[in-house]
């Protein structure tokens, strides 16, 4: 009887296919499980419809259970473990970065040359920076952004980006600030972070195309809310806070504008009172 030779099985291709299949199974979660988290460093989209509840906390123990979709936090005080917990709850994280001033207690304060330090800033023990000195400021600010990305933040909110309107000790003008802020937005995007503008209301109309969202303090008290409409009209979130007054009074205005509004103490601890959504 003639015995037919056995056919060789392509073991290696099959093994590679199985390995790839296992990898796909491990990477792609099953439907109905917790949503896949955006990995640290990836850009965070900001559709206004999905960013209506927010929290801004800079002092006190972090409360991850706050009923908010978006958390604006201090990157130095917030640990990677805390951001990981928030991300496990599918929260969007914004990193607060002071870009126009420096405090003597900042971990990187020594990296700012004395020549770029000006008059006393808004924050205690802070000094304004000469935003015209981009070559001196860029490396330090880039590392501040990288710290945010490394801790899992998807966006940066730029604080003290309006020095031109203050007594900084430098002859800064409107155009100097515009150029600096646009450079910051471009730098953030180059590091896969979504840029957000904090206050700087007079420049909102010019800068809204360059930024993904706005953070505003007290536009109701200061009668400036209408000036933030370039963001909301473009479908970009406006995260707004008032420190005085009742939500029964100011929410009527800000929710009508499409803002995500809350009332907080100026200490910016965990307590908050959010405007009801329509």
């Amino acid at each position: 009887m003639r015995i037919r030779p056995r056919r060789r099985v392509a073991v290696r291709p099959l093994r590679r296919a199985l390995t790839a299949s296992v990898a796909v199974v491990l990477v792609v979660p099953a439907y109905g499980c917790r949503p896949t988290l955006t990995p640290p460093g990836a850009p965070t989209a900001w559709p206004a419809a999905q960013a209506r509840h927010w929290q801004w906390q800079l002092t006190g123990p972090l409360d991850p259970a706050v009923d908010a979709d978006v958390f604006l936090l201090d990157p130095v005080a917030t640990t990677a473990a805390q951001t990981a917990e928030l991300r496990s709850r599918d929260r969007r994280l914004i990193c607060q970065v002071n870009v126009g001033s420096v405090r003597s207690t900042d971990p990187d304060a020594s990296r700012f040359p004395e020549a770029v330090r000006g008059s006393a800033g808004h924050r205690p023990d802070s000094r304004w920076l000469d935003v015209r000195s981009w070559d001196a400021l860029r490396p330090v600010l880039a590392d501040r952004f990288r710290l945010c990305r490394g801790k899992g933040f998807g966006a940066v909110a730029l604080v003290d980006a309006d020095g031109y309107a203050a007594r900084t000790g430098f002859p800064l003008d409107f155009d100097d600030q515009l150029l600096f802020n646009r450079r910051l937005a471009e730098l953030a995007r180059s590091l896969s972070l979504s840029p957000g503008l904090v206050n700087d209301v007079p420049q909102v109309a010019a800068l809204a195309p360059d930024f993904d969202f706005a953070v505003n303090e007290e536009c109701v008290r200061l009668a400036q809310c209408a000036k933030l409409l370039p963001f909301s009209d473009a479908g970009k979130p406006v995260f707004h806070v008032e420190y005085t007054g009742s939500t029964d009074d100011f929410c009527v205005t800000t929710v009508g504008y499409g803002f995500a509004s809350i009332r907080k103490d100026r200490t910016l601890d965990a307590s908050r009172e959010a405007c009801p959504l329509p």
Side-chain angles (χ1 to χ4, degrees):
M1 180 177 63
R2 183 179 180 182
I3 300 177
R4 296 181 180 179
R6 294 181 179 178
R7 298 177 60 185
R8 294 185 177 179
V9 179
V11 176
R12 292 181 180 176
L14 179 59
R15 185 176 299 165
R16 284 196 294 267
L18 288 172
T19 302
S21 299
V22 171
V24 170
V25 171
L26 291 175
V27 171
V28 181
Y31 289 107
C33 296
R34 192 175 66 200
T36 303
L37 298 179
T38 305
T44 304
W46 296 99
Q50 299 178 27
R52 301 300 303 278
H53 292 286
W54 75 296
Q55 165 71 314
W56 192 358
Q57 184 175 353
L58 300 181
T59 64
L62 178 64
D63 183 0
V66 169
D67 183 19
D69 307 311
V70 176
F71 280 70
L72 174 52
L73 305 170
D74 181 335
V76 177
T78 307
T79 67
Q82 288 173 322
T83 60
E85 180 179 359
L86 289 169
R87 291 163 65 83
S88 72
R89 298 170 180 259
D90 199 27
R91 304 303 191 234
R92 298 164 184 257
L93 305 182
I94 306 175
C95 182
Q96 176 168 314
V97 180
N98 294 289
V99 295
S101 67
V102 59
R103 299 179 67 174
S104 61
T105 54
D106 289 344
D108 57 2
S110 62
R111 297 183 60 190
F112 291 97
E114 185 62 29
V116 304
R117 304 189 193 201
S119 303
H122 294 316
R123 298 176 298 149
D125 193 31
S126 70
R127 293 170 64 183
W128 289 104
L129 295 171
D130 186 353
V131 300
R132 300 169 301 172
S133 304
W134 179 246
D135 290 342
L137 300 182
R138 183 191 182 283
V140 190
L141 297 178
D143 283 346
R144 288 187 174 188
F145 288 178
R146 291 188 182 98
L147 173 65
C148 296
R149 188 184 64 184
K151 286 192 174 182
F153 289 89
V156 288
L158 310 183
V159 177
D160 285 346
D162 53 1
Y164 74 101
R167 295 180 178 179
T168 63
F170 304 109
L172 305 179
D173 60 26
F174 191 91
D175 290 335
D176 292 328
Q177 193 72 58
L178 273 184
L179 177 60
F180 179 67
N181 291 351
R182 284 172 174 153
R183 281 172 164 172
L184 288 170
E186 183 179 358
L187 177 61
R189 293 188 192 284
S190 73
L191 296 171
S192 298
L193 294 165
S194 294
L197 183 68
V198 179
N199 297 323
D200 194 17
V201 174
Q203 295 191 331
V204 161
L207 292 174
D210 300 283
F211 287 82
D212 292 344
F213 61 95
V215 177
N216 175 264
E217 297 175 284
E218 300 189 287
C219 75
V220 172
R221 185 181 70 83
L222 299 173
Q224 295 179 333
C225 292
K227 296 182 179 180
L228 295 164
L229 287 176
F231 275 95
S232 56
D233 287 348
K236 298 179 179 181
V238 175
F239 301 110
H240 159 252
V241 62
E242 291 287 327
Y243 302 119
T244 59
S246 168
T247 54
D248 293 336
D249 298 326
F250 70 77
C251 289
V252 174
T253 298
T254 60
V255 172
Y257 281 140
F259 300 170
S261 293
I262 56 177
R263 188 193 184 283
K264 290 186 67 73
D265 294 330
R266 292 185 184 276
T267 56
L268 294 176
D269 57 12
S271 63
R272 67 191 275 276
E273 185 178 0
C275 288
L277 297 179

